Amino acid sequence: MNKKTDLKHLKLRGNIWWYQRRVPKHLAHQYPNQTMINTSLDTGDIREAKKKRDVLNGQLEDKSLRSTTYTEGQRFRELVKEMQRDRKFHPSDWDNGIYPEALEARGANLELQAYMTVNGKRDYSLQYRLRLSEAVQMWKEDWGSNKTEETLKKVEKSASEFSKYCFKTFDYLDQADIALEDITRKVVYSFIKHMGKSYKKATIQATISRLKMVWEYAETMEEVEGNNPFVGHKYSDAEEDQTDKRIPFTNEEISLIRSHTWEKPVYSLLVELGIFTGCRISELCNIKKKHVIQEGGVTALYIEKGKTVMV
């Protein structure tokens, strides 16, 4: 290619070349209050400007690798978005500097597939759609960083149960890990009805709330668009009048549990405390020395933060 057709991210101001590029979204936190990267290359020689541009592109790529743990799907979708923006604002020369033969030669299949998707030669977007498990992982690394381990596990479990149910129920789903764009309000409603056979209303609401939160994160990151399918559902109050669906252990089952040989001795202690106090396992695991109270010859445990509201 001649120098006129290889000017991506280069702009001539007067007789000096500048490096000009939009700040990648995943690096926005490193460029506060800045949407464009504008750097003088201090040269009027186009050959030297290209070399400096390539160095800056490499440095930006290094920042991307250090700041994110991109999956192939994330990287593909980000490349497609960037190319689509370039094509929109620079329709005549948006792909200058992209050499398919060179990408193929060095095994850059992801970049090549993104380019072919944008130029219309072949669409690879279906195989890189955002799956629910991937969205959960992204949420955990970002919004979930200040959540408890228990909360993170509950979100993962909610997503896993939802995907498994959808795969078993809907024939048109091609994978057990559902893509976010395949989730509709009807699918969510069906899942809610299914859960109603085994769980109480509060448990169902909590499950859907966690999935709603993951969708909101994906929407914020522009990984999905449209109305959140987990919002605005009505939950039947019929369960509230039913007997608690959790069946108590029989005496025989309790004896079997107490006699079990656990991997660690502390597990046996947790079982005994759970049976004696009625505390949840998470409540017992959070007990500290200060929570053991002795008063008037009575030893008690103080549960600092319990799930059941005491009235």
Side-chain angles (χ1 to χ4, degrees):
M1 285 192 177
N2 59 43
K3 65 181 182 181
K4 185 177 180 181
T5 59
D6 186 19
L7 302 179
K8 190 171 185 180
H9 304 317
L10 291 176
K11 186 175 181 64
L12 186 64
R13 296 181 181 175
N15 61 349
I16 298 296
W17 286 101
W18 283 65
Y19 177 79
Q20 187 176 71
R21 181 176 179 176
R22 182 178 296 277
V23 175
K25 187 171 299 181
H26 58 281
L27 293 178
H29 63 286
Q30 297 190 29
Y31 297 88
N33 304 316
Q34 187 177 339
T35 59
M36 297 293 295
I37 301 172
N38 291 286
T39 303
S40 173
L41 299 177
D42 297 322
T43 182
D45 187 331
I46 184 59
R47 291 169 297 181
E48 187 176 352
K50 288 179 181 178
K51 292 178 181 178
K52 290 186 175 183
R53 172 201 61 187
D54 293 342
V55 170
L56 290 173
N57 280 339
Q59 292 174 347
L60 204 61
E61 184 66 20
D62 287 341
K63 284 185 178 181
S64 296
L65 293 174
R66 289 195 300 269
S67 65
T68 62
T69 53
Y70 265 175
T71 63
E72 282 195 345
Q74 287 174 270
R75 179 62 180 153
F76 173 85
R77 293 189 297 271
E78 192 62 36
L79 282 169
V80 168
K81 288 177 185 176
E82 186 174 337
M83 291 180 188
Q84 286 174 336
R85 284 196 297 265
D86 287 344
R87 188 174 187 177
K88 178 179 179 181
F89 294 108
H90 308 285
S92 61
D93 59 356
W94 69 275
D95 58 348
N96 287 347
I98 300 178
Y99 308 104
E101 298 84 0
L103 292 175
E104 187 174 8
R106 63 186 177 91
N109 294 326
L110 204 66
E111 290 82 352
L112 181 60
Q113 290 173 347
Y115 175 62
M116 293 174 69
T117 297
V118 176
N119 71 14
K121 188 173 182 180
R122 181 176 176 182
D123 189 356
Y124 287 90
S125 57
L126 275 179
Q127 71 187 65
Y128 291 107
R129 295 192 300 169
L130 179 63
R131 302 282 170 178
L132 183 55
S133 65
E134 184 183 354
V136 169
Q137 188 61 36
M138 291 166 62
W139 171 85
K140 283 176 60 179
E141 294 176 1
D142 197 346
W143 288 9
S145 59
N146 62 344
K147 303 295 184 182
T148 65
E149 188 65 27
E150 183 181 5
T151 297
L152 298 179
K153 288 181 179 179
K154 285 181 177 179
V155 172
E156 286 185 328
K157 182 180 179 183
S158 297
S160 176
E161 289 184 353
F162 179 75
S163 285
K164 288 178 181 177
Y165 166 76
C166 293
F167 182 63
K168 291 179 180 179
T169 307
F170 301 100
D171 294 336
Y172 62 85
L173 297 179
D174 60 344
Q175 291 189 30
D177 188 9
I178 189 171
L180 261 65
E181 63 186 69
D182 283 337
I183 302 175
T184 64
R185 286 183 57 81
K186 184 176 181 180
V187 169
V188 178
Y189 174 77
S190 177
F191 178 62
I192 290 172
K193 296 294 289 182
H194 167 74
M195 288 193 72
K197 300 174 183 177
S198 307
Y199 298 101
K200 297 184 69 175
K201 177 180 176 181
T203 301
I204 301 172
Q205 287 176 314
T207 299
I208 299 302
S209 178
R210 296 180 195 114
L211 296 172
K212 176 177 73 72
M213 181 171 53
V214 172
W215 178 283
E216 288 174 348
Y217 171 77
E219 184 180 27
T220 300
M221 298 304 293
E222 295 185 352
E223 290 280 5
V224 68
E225 57 185 23
N227 296 327
N228 190 329
F230 297 101
V231 172
H233 290 276
K234 293 183 179 180
Y235 300 86
S236 172
D237 292 324
E239 291 89 347
E240 300 302 308
D241 298 326
Q242 296 176 3
T243 304
D244 195 329
K245 294 178 180 178
R246 290 169 293 188
I247 303 173
F249 290 115
T250 64
N251 291 335
E252 292 74 15
E253 288 171 333
I254 290 291
S255 298
L256 184 61
I257 293 171
R258 296 181 71 177
S259 64
H260 180 74
T261 302
W262 300 96
E263 294 84 351
K264 296 180 181 180
V266 70
Y267 294 164
S268 296
L269 177 59
L270 286 172
V271 169
E272 295 296 332
L273 282 173
I275 293 172
F276 183 74
T277 65
C279 291
R280 293 178 173 84
I281 187 67
S282 59
E283 296 168 345
L284 292 173
C285 288
N286 288 327
I287 289 176
K288 296 180 176 61
K289 184 177 179 180
K290 65 179 180 179
H291 296 141
V292 180
I293 302 170
Q294 291 183 323
E295 188 173 327
V298 177
T299 301
L301 298 178
Y302 172 66
I303 305 301
E304 196 170 79
K305 187 177 181 181
K307 183 177 179 180
T308 303
V309 179
M310 304 301 292
V311 293

